Amino acid sequence: MSKENGVLHVGIDLGTSRSSICASNEQRHVVDSFVGWPVDMVARKVLKRDVLIGKDALENRPMLDLHRPLERGLIKEGSERDDEAVRELLSHLLTLVGAGPENRGDLKIRAVVGVPAEALRVNKENLRTALKGLVNNLIIVSEPFAVAYGIEELLHSMVVDIGAGTTDLCVMNGRYPAEEDQRTLTHAGDFIDEQLIKMIGERYPEAKFSIHMIRDWKEQHSFVGSSKKAIKVSAPVNGKPTELDITDEMRQACESLLAPVSETMLDLLSKVEPEYQERVRQNIILSGGSSLIGGLGAGLQQTLGEVGGGRVRVVKNPVYVGSEGGLALATDAPDSDWEKLPA
């Protein structure tokens, strides 16, 4: 934080599954992107709170009107409650770094927020609306660009950011990326969840499980390629806890990302100037929560053999790399790059 001008810079990665914030006062936090309100007076009496956010909301979901307000990386449209949930989530993130509406005082907040690479203008407007009164100045950038900026891979590189709602790809050419440099796919973490629900349900039709159980299983056991051991989980069957082997289902669901992501990656590479394609192929960076799927980087790298080979590496800290990049950009950005939001 600059004591001279009373400005706090923040980078926010507003994700479908998790959202993170990094601030210039060296604070950083990550929360699950869930917001819930007590469903009735009994729930409110038990919870003793008017709104719950993140893990608290998930753990108490039977008592809540629970919302996951971001869909495919964008604010859901047509729901006032989801609009309210996004604002609550953003306010909570800012409060965690000491910049919430109730404790910021005269502090001015400058925020860089990452969105999917092909976010429509209307969705950017929704984000601006959600941040009114919470921040003073705003820059909206694509999530893979924020990653590239944070790790200083701004020339002859490609970032493949695989989150829950979207997979975003961006080729970096030493400048702000243009529309033709970027792609967004809906084949991402949520897509894997959908495949798992379908396949496990078909194999074990009497087993009972929730989307939250599926997500936990995926986070613990996701992989592509071969597995050294069988993946066994527990779920009730006719009310009795039962062990289920989901090794094949997990592999197939995770590998469902390989074809669409590889195809898009190769298509973007083909649009790079011919003399630079080799450099970009050797500098492909995998980020996002789903980048932690075991063997995914190696699987994508294998597809580069079709065009002469290449290298895919996974970022060291996918949880914060987007918000860290946003903070770096916020710190460096000149006054002319910022837009002012109304109070």
Side-chain angles (χ1 to χ4, degrees), residues 228-278:
K228 295 180 180 179
K229 60 180 181 179
I231 297 173
K232 296 182 179 180
V233 298
S234 178
V237 175
N238 297 322
K240 179 182 178 182
T242 304
E243 187 177 76
L244 311 177
D245 187 323
I246 61 167
T247 310
D248 291 340
E249 288 75 18
M250 185 65 72
R251 182 184 66 251
Q252 291 177 47
C254 293
E255 290 183 350
S256 68
L257 293 187
L258 286 176
V261 174
S262 297
E263 181 180 340
T264 307
M265 188 172 69
L266 294 177
D267 180 61
L268 263 180
L269 277 169
S270 72
K271 304 295 192 295
V272 174
E273 292 288 337
E275 62 266 41
Y276 303 132
Q277 288 186 11
E278 169 67 16

Side-chain angles (χ1 to χ4, degrees), residues 75-206:
I75 299 172
K76 290 181 183 177
E77 293 191 67
S79 168
E80 291 185 9
R81 205 54 156 167
D82 283 323
D83 290 342
E84 187 179 354
V86 170
R87 188 169 175 84
E88 289 282 359
L89 180 59
L90 288 165
S91 179
H92 179 69
L93 287 168
L94 290 165
T95 298
L96 289 174
V97 298
E102 71 287 346
N103 61 0
R104 60 187 284 187
D106 295 328
L107 192 64
K108 292 183 179 179
I109 311 300
R110 284 188 159 183
V112 172
V113 182
V115 300
E118 292 180 356
L120 301 176
R121 183 179 61 83
V122 65
N123 296 110
K124 292 183 180 180
E125 287 301 324
N126 289 343
L127 183 56
R128 290 185 181 99
T129 299
L131 282 164
K132 284 181 181 178
L134 297 179
V135 304
N136 301 92
N137 301 94
L138 176 66
I139 295 176
I140 299 175
V141 298
S142 74
E143 290 168 347
F145 170 67
V147 171
Y149 199 92
I151 60 176
E152 298 187 6
E153 288 288 356
L154 299 172
L155 180 63
H156 305 319
S157 66
M158 181 191 295
V159 174
V160 182
D161 186 75
I162 308 180
T166 59
T167 293
D168 296 285
L169 302 92
C170 180
V171 172
M172 293 304 306
N173 296 301
R175 51 167 170 74
Y176 275 111
E179 185 176 340
E180 61 267 22
D181 300 323
Q182 306 180 81
R183 299 282 191 281
T184 293
L185 303 174
T186 55
H187 294 80
D190 285 354
F191 181 77
I192 293 176
D193 299 341
E194 293 167 6
Q195 302 304 305
L196 278 173
I197 288 173
K198 179 181 177 182
M199 288 188 285
I200 296 174
E202 289 175 351
R203 182 173 178 184
Y204 302 104
E206 296 182 348

Side-chain angles (χ1 to χ4, degrees), residues 13-46:
D13 184 356
L14 195 60
T16 303
S17 180
R18 290 187 179 91
S19 297
S20 66
I21 185 169
C22 292
S24 54
N25 59 5
E26 300 185 355
Q27 291 284 318
R28 67 178 191 173
H29 298 272
V30 60
V31 299
D32 294 310
S33 300
F34 288 87
V35 179
W37 292 267
V39 295
D40 55 29
M41 62 171 289
V42 178
R44 188 172 289 106
K45 183 176 179 64
V46 172

